[in-house]
Amino acid sequence: MSIAISNRNESIAPSIHDVQATFPPLEALIEEVTQTIAPVWPLKDYVAVNPYAGMSQSSFMDARAFMKVFSDCELLMPIEHYAAEFNRGEFSTRDIDEAIAELSANAIQLPISTAQIAENLRALGPVGSTLDQPAATPNPDRPIRSVAENATARHGVDWSEAIVDEISKHCSAYYDQGQATWASPFRDMPLFEAWKSAAEHDCNIEILGLKGFRAFVVGLPKTPETTIRHLLQQLEIPRAMWSKFLLCQAFSIPGWCAWAKYQTSWTNAAEPKNDLTALLAIRLAYDAALASVLALKLDWTSLELHDPAYFDAPSTVPSHGSEIASSLRYTLLRASEIGYRNRLLESLAITNDAQSSTEPARKLAQIVFCIDVRSERIRRQLESRSLDVETFGFAGFFGMSFDYVTLGQTSGNSQLPVLLKPQFEVHEGFHERAGNAASDDENAAKEKVVQYRSWSSLWKSFQTSAVGCFSFVETTGLWYGARLFQRALGMTAFDASSLEGLSKDVREKLGPTRRGLHEQGVSTSQQADMAEAMLRNLGLTKNFAKLVVFCGHACQTENNPLAAGLDCGACGGHSGEPNARFAALLCNESAIRELLSNRGIEIPADTHFLGGLHNTTTDAIKLFDVDRVPTGHESALQELMSTCAMATKQTRTERLPVVASKTLHDLLRRAGDWSEVRPEWGLAGNAAFIVAPRALTMNANLDGRTFLHSYDFTQDDGGKVLETIMTAPMIVANWINMQYYASTVDNHHFGSGNKTVHNVVGKFGVLSGNSGDLMTGLPWQSLHTGEAYQHLPLRLQVVIAAPRAMIERVINKHEMVANLICGAWLHLVAIDEGQSYRYNEQGKWERVEFE
């Protein structure tokens, strides 16, 4: 149902909803809108975010119906995609049968049979596999639209685009973090006040046709809250519609609203910020001005007769064509998920055998990787190369929640999941020394780094200044041209140390230290607490190998604004190297080992811990501080390094067809090629999260699609470790899964379009071209090969090897976890006593039967 537009002199029928006392105050409605919007992090900390997180208290399909009221957002793929998957054998008629049965249990009935569905899918054929980047799909049945949308439809001018461009121009200048040569003179003001000050003098929107806008802005109230109330009343929008109309405003600029939500809720500002409220007031001002200038009036009468305050999901027995189509697509989504789940469970070593009571032989090495899906391949190859190597999966920050301050800096990056807060600072320096004093060599290196950064900043200023830019091009153009030519041919190698003016040898000596921890109130006992929590949550409290490696991960790529999205999400979008090396540092400290021994964790005297890094673009594994490995471990170290080298080569070979490379040289080229739009696939394809001992998955080829978290319920008295996993790593995995899902099914609203036309704005985000909304999610090239989808949008399949009662206690204790499972935002299977059980949306366990 669309909103009619009437002339100003027409009246709107009195509304039964306009009784002041029956509605929440405006502040509560704004908070409702704020909670619905998910944040987006800046480029330097870019991490996966579930764009539907604010709606997860509702079910998946209720959230879809909710968004369909005020936006064109979509949660389901087109029918052609599911037809392609069916014809490729990704799911079968049996899976469709099971999906229909599940949805019937949820009171959703489909008025066509499995045979009819299969016949239609076969008739469509595999056309979905060659779909190009889809355009935004209009929602013709949407009842609530902005004034700009209605004015565009009536007058032929794209006011929606013009308004987004104007807002983007103001926000880009206001939030700039040093990219602009000339900073906005209003950036020290609150957002609404800054916009108002600029808009009172900006003629651009008036030149486009919105006459008198500057005078309109002058007459607005001084605060965003008062402005919102004033403009909603001016537009004569019934109180019952306020929250939905504000959501319509927000979803017309979803990217900038996501950024404003981050500013409002996730920055450590000295004073509370209300940037999202301010942005709503700004967006509403353009609509109200447009209605005034064009003498437009929204007629809400027909909507009010249908009680628009709620807009529940469609009938559980679909009758209209669009409802049937939506129910069919949802059924096919579930069928494809069931098909994947059953293949996954078939590949696992599910057994009811009791664990062996004999002590396992001591391993040469144990390597702890991040649970990131890209670790699955390298873990499998390592174990297949050597029976003396054992691997584990754990969150890549290794339970170490700190800010990492690199040499010469006064503040650092947060090396932990964005849902947590750093507890202390770790400072980079030369290898650990007695006391807190830095060596002369370290001080010299620090001075060199500071000097390099100063000269680099000065040189950048000269390049971009009005005076220096032309002479810069004239004097260095040919030299830079030669460098560009070399980079285009891949003739230059990436060297991180050169970025700071340090030699490779000096850079190798730097790493995290324990200096200053006591001054921050982090005692040796508390450091032992961190080490103990990590080892217990990992399940590594005995049978230590001679070498234990904590292996973080990072991506190697050039000319990629979204590079942080390929780094470690558990480390806040950064390399996991500092966390891995700091964890090893703690576990090698004799005083901490003594405390751990008193707490029942006896680490053999000849066990040595190392930090490592898995380069996910090249699959190379680098070990740090090898010069500090004790005498007597040389042969073990050499054997481990040889095994890692062989595993790297095998993993690269396995990935060749995945990245469409014909040679290993081409795969490695991607890491240094500044024109490469797909240096690696990141977490594309992610579909499952398995919480279990390695024995369950060791012999399965999971194709780099599964998060693997080590867990043994027999070592988890009271279920505390399981509770931690289900309320932290599982939630992070759900965020990653939903970001990839949303970017695939609705790239227009929740993705970032074509990577080749990205422009960095303010050093914190990207635009598509030179205008438009802020981009938030994944670019199309990270999801699609150009011929087929690399990421198949499936909701996360969580498999936990533990008694159902233990799992259910966590679900009953944490509403957020229960909402995700019962709302079908993810699916949960328990492996209990050799059988598989699904936790359904009614909160009951059902036996999973599969061939």
Side-chain angles (χ1 to χ4, degrees), residues 131-182:
L131 285 176
D132 199 355
Q133 180 181 353
T137 305
N139 173 17
D141 299 325
R142 172 153 59 98
I144 297 181
R145 297 181 183 274
S146 67
V147 174
E149 289 177 284
N150 284 286
T152 296
R154 182 166 181 174
H155 293 272
V157 177
D158 195 339
W159 285 109
S160 296
E161 181 179 349
I163 290 171
V164 171
D165 287 348
E166 284 296 298
I167 291 175
S168 188
K169 177 183 68 178
H170 285 288
C171 288
S172 298
Y174 179 78
Y175 289 114
D176 180 77
Q177 296 178 359
Q179 181 175 345
T181 303
W182 293 313

Side-chain angles (χ1 to χ4, degrees), residues 19-67:
V19 181
Q20 183 85 12
T22 61
F23 299 104
L26 177 63
E27 293 74 17
L29 298 179
I30 293 174
E31 179 62 20
E32 177 185 330
V33 175
T34 300
Q35 293 302 317
T36 303
I37 304 296
V40 62
W41 263 255
L43 293 178
K44 71 181 184 67
D45 306 314
Y46 187 79
V47 292
V49 176
N50 174 11
Y52 314 122
M55 293 168 272
S56 59
Q57 72 279 5
S58 301
S59 72
F60 182 85
M61 285 299 279
D62 280 354
R64 179 179 184 269
F66 175 71
M67 287 196 291

Side-chain angles (χ1 to χ4, degrees), residues 692-723:
R694 179 57 173 156
L696 186 75
T697 58
M698 183 177 293
N699 297 318
N701 182 345
L702 301 174
D703 200 26
R705 302 185 66 187
T706 306
F707 301 93
L708 295 176
H709 199 301
S710 297
Y711 175 70
D712 183 353
F713 77 87
T714 63
Q715 297 185 41
D716 184 22
D717 292 337
K720 286 294 184 181
V721 173
L722 180 62
E723 183 178 359

Side-chain angles (χ1 to χ4, degrees), residues 242-351:
W242 280 14
S243 67
K244 301 302 184 296
F245 190 75
L246 289 175
L247 282 165
C248 180
Q249 299 286 298
F251 276 76
S252 69
I253 44 172
W256 284 115
C257 280
W259 178 252
K261 173 64 177 288
Y262 170 77
Q263 295 293 323
T264 300
S265 304
W266 292 90
T267 56
N268 297 319
E271 296 181 2
K273 302 178 71 174
N274 64 344
D275 285 29
L276 185 50
T277 302
L279 191 58
L280 290 173
I282 292 168
R283 178 62 185 85
L284 194 58
Y286 286 100
D287 254 18
L290 196 59
S292 177
V293 169
L294 300 182
L296 302 179
K297 193 172 185 179
L298 304 181
D299 182 2
W300 299 90
T301 307
S302 59
L303 290 180
E304 286 197 282
L305 296 176
H306 292 83
D307 194 5
Y310 298 100
F311 294 109
D312 289 330
S315 169
T316 55
V317 183
S319 55
H320 302 296
S322 60
E323 289 183 357
I324 294 174
S326 295
S327 296
L328 174 59
R329 289 156 63 197
Y330 185 53
T331 301
L332 294 176
L333 167 64
R334 187 67 193 116
S336 62
E337 292 168 340
I338 290 170
Y340 172 76
R341 179 199 68 194
N342 290 348
R343 290 193 302 275
L344 176 67
L345 294 176
E346 286 172 1
S347 71
L348 302 181
I350 300 174
T351 176

Side-chain angles (χ1 to χ4, degrees), residues 608-789:
H608 185 76
F609 293 83
L610 286 166
L613 187 71
H614 172 211
N615 183 326
T616 55
T617 312
T618 67
D619 276 310
I621 294 177
K622 180 177 181 179
L623 302 180
F624 296 98
D625 305 323
V626 294
D627 58 325
R628 306 184 70 198
V629 173
T631 302
H633 287 62
E634 294 88 351
S635 61
L637 178 62
Q638 287 302 318
E639 185 176 344
L640 173 59
M641 294 174 71
S642 176
T643 300
C644 287
M646 289 189 295
T648 290
K649 184 177 180 179
Q650 288 301 112
T651 305
R652 288 171 178 169
T653 302
E654 181 180 328
R655 285 179 55 220
L656 285 178
V658 178
V659 295
S661 289
K662 294 182 179 180
T663 64
L664 293 178
H665 174 77
D666 183 65
L667 183 145
L668 297 176
R669 173 197 57 79
R670 294 170 179 269
D673 186 348
W674 69 332
S675 66
E676 180 58 63
V677 295
R678 299 182 182 92
E680 60 156 289
W681 280 113
L683 292 96
N686 73 84
F689 178 75
I690 298 179
V691 183
R694 179 57 173 156
L696 186 75
T697 58
M698 183 177 293
N699 297 318
N701 182 345
L702 301 174
D703 200 26
R705 302 185 66 187
T706 306
F707 301 93
L708 295 176
H709 199 301
S710 297
Y711 175 70
D712 183 353
F713 77 87
T714 63
Q715 297 185 41
D716 184 22
D717 292 337
K720 286 294 184 181
V721 173
L722 180 62
E723 183 178 359
T724 299
I725 294 172
M726 291 181 67
T727 55
M730 188 181 82
I731 303 301
V732 172
N734 170 254
W735 274 34
I736 294 169
N737 174 261
M738 281 288 105
Q739 186 196 50
Y740 274 82
Y741 183 99
S743 295
T744 306
V745 302
D746 191 358
N747 197 266
H748 178 76
H749 290 98
F750 300 122
S752 60
N754 190 333
K755 192 175 189 177
T756 63
V757 294
H758 280 176
N759 274 322
V760 174
V761 55
K763 294 186 177 180
F764 62 84
V766 293
L767 299 179
S768 182
N770 61 356
S771 60
D773 195 19
L774 189 72
M775 301 283 98
T776 58
L778 297 159
W780 192 243
Q781 287 85 353
S782 294
L783 307 162
H784 199 276
T785 67
E787 297 179 352
Y789 286 100

Side-chain angles (χ1 to χ4, degrees), residues 214-230:
R214 287 176 294 168
F216 180 86
V217 172
V218 170
L220 291 176
K222 294 183 178 180
T223 67
E225 294 82 2
T226 307
T227 298
I228 290 173
R229 182 185 301 277
H230 168 73

Side-chain angles (χ1 to χ4, degrees), residues 448-459:
K448 190 172 184 178
V449 166
V450 172
Q451 186 180 56
Y452 180 88
R453 289 172 183 160
S454 298
W455 279 108
S456 179
S457 177
L458 183 62
W459 181 247

Side-chain angles (χ1 to χ4, degrees), residues 89 91-98 338-348 350 835-836 847-851:
F91 61 96
S92 65
T93 53
R94 177 179 175 178
D95 300 326
I96 297 174
D97 276 334
E98 189 170 344
I338 290 170
Y340 172 76
R341 179 199 68 194
N342 290 348
R343 290 193 302 275
L344 176 67
L345 294 176
E346 286 172 1
S347 71
L348 302 181
I350 300 174
Q835 302 295 331
S836 302
R847 175 84 174 270
V848 176
E849 303 287 352
F850 54 88
E851 296 177 353

